Amino acid sequence: MTKIHDMGGMPCLEALPVENKTVFEKKWHKIVLSLTLAVGALGKWNIDRSRYFRESLPPDDYERFTYYEKWMAGLVNLMVDSGLVDQSELHDFKVAHKPLQGVSVSPQALKSMIAEGDPSLCSNNATFQPHEIGTLVKTKSPPANHYLENGHTRLPAYSSGYQGEIVLYHGFHRLPDANAHLLGPKPEPLYTVSFKAKTLWGNEAENPDDEIHLDLWHSYLEPLPGE
Amino acid sequence: MTDNDTHHHHRHLPPDPEYTAEKLQELLIQKGLLDEKTLDEIVNIYEHKIGPQNGSTVVAKSWVDEEFKKLLFDNPTEAIRSLGFLGRQGEHIIAVENTTETHNMVVCTLCSCYPWPLLGIPPNWYKSDSYRKRAVKEPRKVLQEFGVELQDTQKVKVWDSTAEIRYLVVPMQPEESKGLSEDELIPWVTRNSMIGTGLPTEPK
């Protein structure tokens, strides 16, 4: 599987694109956004799984697709994977089976889902003793999923194997590495870890004392002995 | 069902995204999976109801209301909830304050996570590969491209949104805006100043 989405710190000479001032640049962008939210609201997958499906697109597609093309391709694969749509239906866009009744999410229900969101915070469990703020840690290397070879993870490659310091603690949160693969939320303590620019980039750092902060789960980190 | 590591590298769709999006919408409505009114409501929410004005309200309030400012940094999620701005992709908020020592800037290198209920749909450049690649390694160069001039005393802190925590940059209030009311201050707080790629500016 590709790790093409994991692009932080990759060499890049491109300037930033000129800003588009409208909320939706094209009409079909509105369609893709609203389809993604409305079908997602049926509850057949979760946000981690939808990220995993977008980043698992064929690498050349991921590279050339615009943002909403990635969303649409990810959504279609999720719908096929979960049985909402048949591959045959995507060839001619004709319904192969009898339409389902009463499944769709109403405007009112969707509105409250947007307002409530889907918090990843869970209650504490005894499996993990959270580290204290100020603990020095090293991120695991390689940045691999513990449950599944080439599975989803949120430890970017550029931060893997480096020393940082825990600066914030956020409580126990769903672990994307498990949740994306429908293995349950497996909540772990979540921290913000601060890295010095010189630690991550060495001599290439613009300013050695600038800091890069990442939100990382307990199992991504190994505590180091204090100074 | 669980995953193996090869099973969904499929290409199911025709190449023209506009055609495909419309046909897909039709198919899903016919299948009974979608209500067209729901789709309209989603677009209406993100075009007209949720946008950077929400974040600007939070920042302007923190500039004039000491008690709110304290709550915003001590318990940001509660502070945002008190104004009714929590929601999808903004369930857990951390506010980071710019000072004469620190300039904060937000990115999501792995996808494009962004505090939707506070700032709306992310702008195209935020979702671009170049911003995702460069913001963590050469933030100062990126800031220069945005026309942000840092003070010599300021360290840059980049926040890479790798979990469901969403970051709101609280910019420094410009001297020339001191004394204005909360409502008058709202238009000073530009969207980019809350991502860290801009500074508050006097409204034209």
Side-chain angles (χ1 to χ4, degrees), chain A residues 19-20 22-25 29 33 67-68 71, chain B residues 46 50-52 88-89 108 111-117 119-128 131 191-192 195:
Chain A
E19 174 159 337
N20 185 286
T22 52
V23 175
F24 296 103
E25 209 174 322
H29 293 179
L33 176 98
Y67 179 74
Y68 285 112
W71 273 43
Chain B
Y46 287 109
I50 293 181
R88 186 186 185 278
Q89 280 305 294
C108 169
C111 43
S112 304
C113 297
Y114 187 75
W116 284 36
L119 302 184
I121 304 262
N124 59 330
W125 57 261
Y126 186 87
K127 301 180 283 202
S128 70
Y131 187 72
R191 180 197 59 206
N192 286 10
I195 305 172

Side-chain angles (χ1 to χ4, degrees), chain B residues 164-180:
Chain B
E164 298 300 338
I165 313 293
R166 296 290 167 266
Y167 290 90
L168 176 73
V169 175
V170 178
M172 286 186 282
Q173 181 175 3
E175 278 307 317
E176 62 274 29
S177 72
K178 296 271 165 81
L180 295 179

Side-chain angles (χ1 to χ4, degrees), chain A residues 88-99:
Chain A
S88 70
E89 292 176 309
L90 296 167
H91 293 307
D92 54 9
F93 295 105
K94 296 241 170 9
V95 180
H97 305 291
K98 234 175 88 180

Side-chain angles (χ1 to χ4, degrees), chain B residues 61-121:
Chain B
K61 193 172 180 62
S62 80
W63 283 347
V64 297
D65 180 340
E66 275 300 322
E67 208 174 303
F68 179 77
K69 181 175 176 182
K70 190 173 179 318
L71 183 65
L72 182 61
F73 291 110
D74 291 351
N75 193 342
T77 302
E78 275 319 304
I80 307 287
R81 191 197 308 277
S82 75
L83 298 181
F85 297 146
L86 286 184
R88 186 186 185 278
Q89 280 305 294
E91 291 92 348
H92 311 286
I93 307 279
I94 297 281
V96 289
E97 187 178 24
N98 285 352
T99 65
T100 48
E101 280 89 49
T102 304
H103 182 88
N104 296 284
M105 173 178 163
V106 182
V107 63
C108 169
T109 61
L110 294 175
C111 43
S112 304
C113 297
Y114 187 75
W116 284 36
L118 292 172
L119 302 184
I121 304 262

Side-chain angles (χ1 to χ4, degrees), chain A residues 1 5-12 14-20 23-24 28 30-31 33-35 37-39 47 49 51-53 56 58 60-62 67-69 71-73 76-77 79-81 84-85 87 89-90 93-95 99-100 103-107 110-111 114-115 117-121 148-150 154 156 158 170 173 180-183 190 192 196 201 204 206-207 209-215 217, chain B residues 1-28 30-35 37-43 45-47 49-50 86-89 91-92 94 104 108-113 116 121-125 127-134 136-142 145-146 154-167 191-192:
Chain A
M1 195 231 282
H5 69 285
D6 185 2
M7 60 177 75
M10 299 288 274
C12 178
E14 274 167 70
L16 300 167
V18 175
E19 174 159 337
N20 185 286
V23 175
F24 296 103
W28 68 268
K30 299 183 195 188
I31 297 178
L33 176 98
S34 55
L35 289 184
L37 267 58
V39 181
I47 183 106
R49 194 162 179 78
R51 289 196 185 110
Y52 171 61
F53 269 62
S56 302
D60 51 335
D61 279 358
Y62 190 94
Y67 179 74
Y68 285 112
E69 283 176 281
W71 273 43
M72 184 156 60
V76 162
N77 287 352
M79 290 194 297
V80 172
D81 180 77
L84 286 179
V85 166
Q87 297 204 22
E89 292 176 309
L90 296 167
F93 295 105
K94 296 241 170 9
V95 180
L100 302 158
V103 176
S104 65
V105 174
S106 71
L110 204 290
K111 220 168 143 175
I114 289 177
D118 179 20
S120 61
L121 184 66
L148 178 83
E149 202 180 340
N150 289 321
R154 297 290 286 180
Y158 78 85
H170 305 290
H173 285 253
H181 301 294
L182 308 176
L183 301 172
L190 176 70
T192 301
K196 293 273 184 214
W201 316 119
E204 290 179 40
E206 287 180 319
N207 178 330
D209 293 327
D210 284 347
E211 293 171 22
I212 296 92
H213 294 77
L214 292 94
D215 294 329
W217 280 262
Chain B
M1 104 218 71
T2 54
D3 297 315
N4 59 52
D5 60 352
T6 51
H7 82 286
H8 51 71
H9 289 231
H10 303 304
R11 276 191 194 89
H12 289 305
L13 296 172
D16 173 5
E18 183 177 359
Y19 168 83
T20 311
E22 283 170 9
K23 296 302 275 184
L24 197 57
Q25 173 174 329
E26 246 171 65
L27 173 73
L28 296 175
Q30 279 169 14
K31 278 180 75 86
L33 294 173
L34 285 183
D35 179 339
K37 292 195 294 293
T38 304
L39 302 180
D40 294 342
E41 181 59 32
I42 296 170
V43 171
I45 288 174
Y46 287 109
E47 271 189 333
K49 300 197 174 144
I50 293 181
L86 286 184
R88 186 186 185 278
Q89 280 305 294
E91 291 92 348
H92 311 286
I94 297 281
N104 296 284
C108 169
T109 61
L110 294 175
C111 43
S112 304
C113 297
W116 284 36
I121 304 262
N124 59 330
W125 57 261
K127 301 180 283 202
S128 70
D129 288 4
S130 52
Y131 187 72
R132 288 168 57 190
K133 287 176 183 171
R134 296 175 56 204
V136 284
K137 187 160 183 188
E138 44 180 42
R140 289 168 181 266
K141 219 169 143 193
V142 170
E145 266 173 55
F146 277 102
Q154 279 179 311
K155 179 200 265 198
V156 175
K157 289 189 181 179
V158 181
W159 302 81
D160 188 355
S161 319
T162 43
E164 298 300 338
I165 313 293
R166 296 290 167 266
Y167 290 90
R191 180 197 59 206
N192 286 10

Side-chain angles (χ1 to χ4, degrees), chain B residues 182-195:
Chain B
E182 187 180 323
D183 284 347
E184 289 168 325
L185 287 169
I186 290 172
W188 286 67
V189 189
T190 59
R191 180 197 59 206
N192 286 10
S193 75
M194 295 180 280
I195 305 172

